[in-house]
Amino acid sequence: MSPTAAGHTDPRFIQSLLQSDHAFARVDDAPDPEFYATERMVAHLDATALETVEDVVGSLVTEEGPVILDLMASWDSHLPASLGASKVVGLGLNGPELEANSALTERVLKDVNADPTLPFEEETFDVVLNVVSVEYLTRPVHVFREVGRVLKPGGLFLVVFSNRWFPSKVVRVWEDASEEERIGLVEAYLREAGGFEIGELFVSMGLPRPADDRFHHLGFPSDPVFAVFAEKSGGPPDRPPRVLPRDRARIPMDREKVEARRKIVGETLACPHCGQKLSKWKVPDDPCIDWPNEFLYLCFNDACPFVVRGWRFLWEQGFPGASYRYLYNPETGASTTVPIRSLRDLKAGVVPEDT
Ligand SMILES: C[S@@+](CC[C@H](N)C(=O)[O-])C[C@H]1O[C@@H](n2cnc3c(N)ncnc32)[C@H](O)[C@@H]1O
């Protein structure tokens, strides 16, 4: 296994969150089957984030013809067609949603908050998936322990989450935690349950939302995807490591390359990160910022890798919800960055091409 993802947050702080009064209370503490009796054939994430989830599942599930449990399942199990699962059991609370899920070969209706035991034999599954649902568990450690029981040694437990949920059903500790602390919570559940080896963390942030998404006009980037995975201890020692999709390649700095790049940008006025033509941009009339010229050049490609990586990079530095765009100053030939909080930011200053 790869090194543990622990260390994102101080475990003592996570423990204090877990021990807080009513950590697992919800606004709606009525039995879950009541809330989930209503059919919700909705996408819980935007299309880009859903593609990422499928990618993560496809990368981590390496077993041939795996036997899979989709724990807290609905109408979509996010399994790539290439997975070739031999059996997929969906356990959830809404019958019609499970019926609509064509990946499932078996369907089980069960409330794991009322009774966290999983109705399966020991060592039944190669893989247990839990997608955008861990935040509803009121007894997560019991459920995780059960996952460990029904997984085969070396089997994969993949927990994927984002930053959206049903507000009345989310547990308080999840809502109170920051995005980073939520990773720490899932790791704490795994450690507390015992018998797992925690793998590397996956985070995808800042990809542009699809143009036809209902929140596109607000300038929000795509929903973030956080994935924590673990293997049940005791797997075969020669098992190849599970490899996450790479989205965080960093390009090392090299002075000569930077100079060459600066020259090319001056000649082409194209973004060095994505190749898209830079836009002429009129600086805002803001007395608090001393802009060097009246016009600068910016990359406004929302899918530019520089912008996409920026959300994650700044999140890692403790500035969630921000990224930056590439900026070129034609007077000095200098490149720098401008911070943004939304993909819409700064666009008002774009000067139309023929002006
Ligand atoms: C946000 S949906 C996510 C569904 C699915 N995993 C997906 O990725 O689209 C949350 C799901 O958790 C299931 N769920 C919520 N509380 C549950 C509980 N106490 N026991 C079992 N399933 C539950 C519901 O049936 C619901 O479909």
Side-chain angles (χ1 to χ4, degrees), residues 68-70 87-91 104-108 120 125:
I68 299 178
L69 170 62
D70 182 1
K87 183 170 159 183
V88 186
V89 181
L91 181 151
L104 302 182
T105 55
E106 277 176 41
R107 295 160 178 87
V108 177
F120 311 107
F125 297 99

Side-chain angles (χ1 to χ4, degrees), residues 302-337:
D302 292 341
C304 177
F306 190 61
V307 181
V308 168
R309 280 200 298 266
W311 301 101
R312 182 194 165 101
F313 180 74
L314 289 184
W315 175 76
E316 283 173 348
Q317 313 300 311
F319 301 106
S323 181
Y324 32 66
R325 292 192 182 279
Y326 172 80
L327 181 155
Y328 173 72
N329 182 341
E331 304 286 323
T332 60
S335 297
T336 179
T337 61

Side-chain angles (χ1 to χ4, degrees), residues 32 36 44 72-73 78 93 97 110-113 131-133:
D32 289 345
Y36 291 100
H44 296 290
M72 307 178 81
H78 319 288
L93 278 182
E97 287 177 22
K110 161 130 198 175
D111 178 354
V112 292
N113 283 338
V131 181
V132 292
S133 299

Side-chain angles (χ1 to χ4, degrees), residues 113-256:
N113 283 338
D115 170 15
T117 42
L118 298 177
F120 311 107
E121 297 290 316
E122 275 177 31
E123 303 187 6
T124 302
F125 297 99
D126 297 298
V127 175
V128 177
L129 299 178
N130 180 263
V131 181
V132 292
S133 299
V134 67
E135 59 268 34
Y136 306 117
L137 290 175
T138 56
R139 288 194 274 172
V141 174
H142 290 79
V143 174
F144 277 37
R145 214 167 270 147
E146 275 292 285
V147 168
R149 185 183 64 76
V150 301
L151 265 179
K152 296 176 188 169
L156 170 72
F157 182 24
L158 172 59
V159 181
V160 178
F161 52 94
S162 185
N163 61 2
R164 289 163 56 179
W165 46 75
F166 299 127
S168 59
K169 280 293 179 187
V170 66
V171 292
R172 192 163 149 186
V173 67
W174 191 266
E175 203 169 31
D176 285 352
S178 68
E179 286 183 342
E180 255 182 301
E181 287 157 8
R182 287 182 200 125
I183 295 163
L185 278 176
V186 176
E187 291 173 352
Y189 299 164
L190 286 164
R191 275 197 298 273
E192 197 69 22
F196 289 106
E197 290 176 46
I198 303 176
E200 251 187 284
L201 169 70
F202 174 88
V203 180
S204 168
M205 301 177 93
L207 292 166
R209 273 188 120 75
D212 58 357
D213 186 89
R214 66 195 166 116
F215 298 119
H216 177 82
H217 68 288
L218 297 174
F220 298 150
S222 167
D223 298 319
V225 174
F226 302 93
V228 175
F229 79 92
E231 276 181 359
K232 177 171 170 176
S233 305
D238 53 349
R239 209 194 167 291
R242 300 185 194 266
V243 182
L244 284 161
R246 289 287 148 214
D247 76 325
R248 38 187 157 141
R250 295 267 165 76
I251 301 153
M253 274 296 215
D254 172 329
R255 194 165 284 282
E256 266 177 40

